[in-house]
Amino acid sequence: MKKSNTYNYVLAAFGAAIIAVLAQVTIPLPLIPITGQTLAVGLIVTILGTKLGTISVSLYILLGAAGMPVFSGMSGGFAILVGPTGGYIVGFLVTAIIMGLYLDKFGITIVHAVIANIIGMVVTLTFGTVWLKILADLSWTAAFMGGVAPFIVVGILKAIIAAWLGVIVRKRLESAHLIEAIA
């Protein structure tokens, strides 16, 4: 049975809320902290798919831009989006679209979800690093060392966790007929 638009938007809002909650899990580093945001984005897109996952990420970004304290460290406001971490946050939107399209094409299995989440990690880190390089007027080496290198291992771990947990939750929600199975 097809779910109503209202039902789907409520799911997307829950997705945005989960991203906001996991964003508060933070390990501070000198330039850019390690947060639960990337884990949450991968998890939500794996569970909800392209459309609802992208709506969730968009809602999360809009809430934060409007000043709601949903970004890491209970921060919010447009200044965060144009600050040093803004590229990562903006990159979440592109990450959601690319991950969702990959999963639409290849299916939501553990293997494909891990691949999609690793692709998402690369997209997010690329956006964040380019943004950081331009905004902070860093060399490419300095931007890479501050914006990518500290996140590679933890990013792969978060991608695996998001994929594994996302597939489990998605399958359970599908079997309970709470979300539609992807054909």
Short mmCIF file of all heavy atoms in Angstrom, two decimals, residues 132-157:
data_model
loop_
_atom_site.label_atom_id
_atom_site.label_comp_id
_atom_site.label_asym_id
_atom_site.label_seq_id
_atom_site.Cartn_x
_atom_site.Cartn_y
_atom_site.Cartn_z
N LEU A 132 37.05 24.28 2.62
CA LEU A 132 38.04 24.65 3.62
C LEU A 132 39.26 25.30 2.97
O LEU A 132 39.77 26.32 3.45
CB LEU A 132 38.47 23.40 4.40
CG LEU A 132 39.40 23.57 5.58
CD1 LEU A 132 38.74 24.44 6.65
CD2 LEU A 132 39.75 22.20 6.16
N LYS A 133 39.71 24.76 1.86
CA LYS A 133 40.86 25.31 1.15
C LYS A 133 40.60 26.74 0.71
O LYS A 133 41.41 27.64 0.92
CB LYS A 133 41.20 24.44 -0.08
CG LYS A 133 42.48 24.87 -0.79
CD LYS A 133 42.20 25.29 -2.22
CE LYS A 133 43.45 25.63 -2.97
NZ LYS A 133 44.04 26.92 -2.65
N ILE A 134 39.42 26.97 0.13
CA ILE A 134 39.07 28.30 -0.38
C ILE A 134 38.84 29.27 0.78
O ILE A 134 39.39 30.37 0.80
CB ILE A 134 37.84 28.22 -1.30
CG1 ILE A 134 38.20 27.44 -2.58
CG2 ILE A 134 37.31 29.61 -1.64
CD1 ILE A 134 37.01 27.03 -3.41
N LEU A 135 38.03 28.86 1.73
CA LEU A 135 37.65 29.75 2.82
C LEU A 135 38.83 30.13 3.72
O LEU A 135 38.99 31.29 4.09
CB LEU A 135 36.54 29.11 3.67
CG LEU A 135 35.90 30.03 4.68
CD1 LEU A 135 35.05 31.07 3.97
CD2 LEU A 135 35.07 29.24 5.66
N ALA A 136 39.65 29.14 4.05
CA ALA A 136 40.77 29.39 4.95
C ALA A 136 42.05 29.76 4.20
O ALA A 136 43.09 29.94 4.82
CB ALA A 136 41.01 28.17 5.83
N ASP A 137 41.96 29.83 2.86
CA ASP A 137 43.12 30.16 2.02
C ASP A 137 44.29 29.24 2.33
O ASP A 137 45.42 29.68 2.54
CB ASP A 137 43.50 31.63 2.19
CG ASP A 137 44.45 32.10 1.08
OD1 ASP A 137 44.39 31.54 -0.03
OD2 ASP A 137 45.27 33.00 1.35
N LEU A 138 43.99 27.93 2.35
CA LEU A 138 45.00 26.92 2.63
C LEU A 138 45.56 26.36 1.32
O LEU A 138 44.91 26.42 0.29
CB LEU A 138 44.40 25.76 3.43
CG LEU A 138 43.80 26.07 4.79
CD1 LEU A 138 43.11 24.84 5.35
CD2 LEU A 138 44.87 26.56 5.75
N SER A 139 46.74 25.78 1.41
CA SER A 139 47.26 25.02 0.27
C SER A 139 46.43 23.74 0.16
O SER A 139 45.76 23.35 1.12
CB SER A 139 48.73 24.67 0.49
OG SER A 139 48.86 23.73 1.55
N TRP A 140 46.51 23.08 -0.99
CA TRP A 140 45.78 21.82 -1.14
C TRP A 140 46.28 20.79 -0.13
O TRP A 140 45.50 20.03 0.42
CB TRP A 140 45.90 21.28 -2.57
CG TRP A 140 45.02 22.02 -3.52
CD1 TRP A 140 45.40 22.87 -4.50
CD2 TRP A 140 43.58 21.98 -3.55
NE1 TRP A 140 44.29 23.37 -5.16
CE2 TRP A 140 43.16 22.84 -4.60
CE3 TRP A 140 42.61 21.33 -2.81
CZ2 TRP A 140 41.83 23.06 -4.91
CZ3 TRP A 140 41.27 21.52 -3.13
CH2 TRP A 140 40.89 22.38 -4.16
N THR A 141 47.59 20.79 0.12
CA THR A 141 48.15 19.84 1.09
C THR A 141 47.61 20.11 2.48
O THR A 141 47.19 19.18 3.19
CB THR A 141 49.70 19.93 1.09
OG1 THR A 141 50.16 19.65 -0.23
CG2 THR A 141 50.30 18.95 2.07
N ALA A 142 47.61 21.38 2.89
CA ALA A 142 47.10 21.73 4.22
C ALA A 142 45.61 21.42 4.33
O ALA A 142 45.15 20.90 5.37
CB ALA A 142 47.36 23.20 4.52
N ALA A 143 44.85 21.70 3.29
CA ALA A 143 43.41 21.40 3.30
C ALA A 143 43.18 19.89 3.39
O ALA A 143 42.31 19.43 4.15
CB ALA A 143 42.74 21.97 2.06
N PHE A 144 43.97 19.12 2.65
CA PHE A 144 43.84 17.67 2.70
C PHE A 144 44.20 17.14 4.09
O PHE A 144 43.49 16.31 4.66
CB PHE A 144 44.73 17.00 1.64
CG PHE A 144 44.67 15.51 1.67
CD1 PHE A 144 43.65 14.83 1.01
CD2 PHE A 144 45.60 14.76 2.38
CE1 PHE A 144 43.57 13.44 1.06
CE2 PHE A 144 45.53 13.38 2.45
CZ PHE A 144 44.51 12.71 1.77
N MET A 145 45.30 17.65 4.64
CA MET A 145 45.75 17.18 5.95
C MET A 145 44.78 17.56 7.07
O MET A 145 44.62 16.81 8.03
CB MET A 145 47.15 17.71 6.27
CG MET A 145 48.23 17.16 5.34
SD MET A 145 48.24 15.36 5.19
CE MET A 145 48.80 14.90 6.79
N GLY A 146 44.11 18.69 6.94
CA GLY A 146 43.16 19.11 7.96
C GLY A 146 41.74 18.66 7.69
O GLY A 146 40.95 18.48 8.62
N GLY A 147 41.39 18.48 6.41
CA GLY A 147 40.01 18.21 6.06
C GLY A 147 39.68 16.82 5.59
O GLY A 147 38.51 16.46 5.46
N VAL A 148 40.72 16.00 5.32
CA VAL A 148 40.47 14.63 4.84
C VAL A 148 41.21 13.60 5.69
O VAL A 148 40.61 12.66 6.20
CB VAL A 148 40.88 14.46 3.35
CG1 VAL A 148 40.74 13.01 2.91
CG2 VAL A 148 40.05 15.35 2.45
N ALA A 149 42.52 13.78 5.80
CA ALA A 149 43.37 12.75 6.43
C ALA A 149 42.85 12.27 7.79
O ALA A 149 42.80 11.06 8.02
CB ALA A 149 44.81 13.26 6.53
N PRO A 150 42.42 13.18 8.69
CA PRO A 150 41.97 12.69 10.00
C PRO A 150 40.67 11.90 9.95
O PRO A 150 40.31 11.24 10.93
CB PRO A 150 41.74 13.98 10.82
CG PRO A 150 42.36 15.08 10.06
CD PRO A 150 42.44 14.64 8.64
N PHE A 151 39.98 11.95 8.81
CA PHE A 151 38.63 11.37 8.74
C PHE A 151 38.54 10.09 7.93
O PHE A 151 37.48 9.49 7.86
CB PHE A 151 37.67 12.41 8.15
CG PHE A 151 37.71 13.71 8.90
CD1 PHE A 151 38.33 14.81 8.35
CD2 PHE A 151 37.15 13.82 10.15
CE1 PHE A 151 38.39 16.01 9.04
CE2 PHE A 151 37.20 15.01 10.86
CZ PHE A 151 37.83 16.11 10.29
N ILE A 152 39.63 9.66 7.31
CA ILE A 152 39.56 8.51 6.41
C ILE A 152 39.19 7.23 7.17
O ILE A 152 38.21 6.57 6.82
CB ILE A 152 40.87 8.35 5.62
CG1 ILE A 152 41.04 9.53 4.66
CG2 ILE A 152 40.88 7.02 4.85
CD1 ILE A 152 42.37 9.58 3.95
N VAL A 153 39.94 6.89 8.18
CA VAL A 153 39.69 5.62 8.89
C VAL A 153 38.33 5.67 9.59
O VAL A 153 37.52 4.76 9.45
CB VAL A 153 40.82 5.31 9.90
CG1 VAL A 153 40.46 4.12 10.77
CG2 VAL A 153 42.13 5.06 9.16
N VAL A 154 38.08 6.75 10.34
CA VAL A 154 36.80 6.86 11.04
C VAL A 154 35.64 6.96 10.04
O VAL A 154 34.55 6.45 10.29
CB VAL A 154 36.81 8.02 12.05
CG1 VAL A 154 36.71 9.36 11.39
CG2 VAL A 154 35.71 7.85 13.08
N GLY A 155 35.88 7.57 8.89
CA GLY A 155 34.85 7.66 7.85
C GLY A 155 34.48 6.30 7.29
O GLY A 155 33.30 6.01 7.07
N ILE A 156 35.47 5.46 7.08
CA ILE A 156 35.20 4.10 6.60
C ILE A 156 34.43 3.32 7.66
O ILE A 156 33.46 2.61 7.34
CB ILE A 156 36.50 3.39 6.19
CG1 ILE A 156 37.08 4.05 4.93
CG2 ILE A 156 36.28 1.90 5.96
CD1 ILE A 156 38.49 3.63 4.57
N LEU A 157 34.83 3.46 8.91
CA LEU A 157 34.10 2.78 9.99
C LEU A 157 32.65 3.27 10.07
O LEU A 157 31.72 2.45 10.21
CB LEU A 157 34.79 3.00 11.34
CG LEU A 157 36.12 2.28 11.52
CD1 LEU A 157 36.80 2.72 12.82
CD2 LEU A 157 35.92 0.78 11.52
#
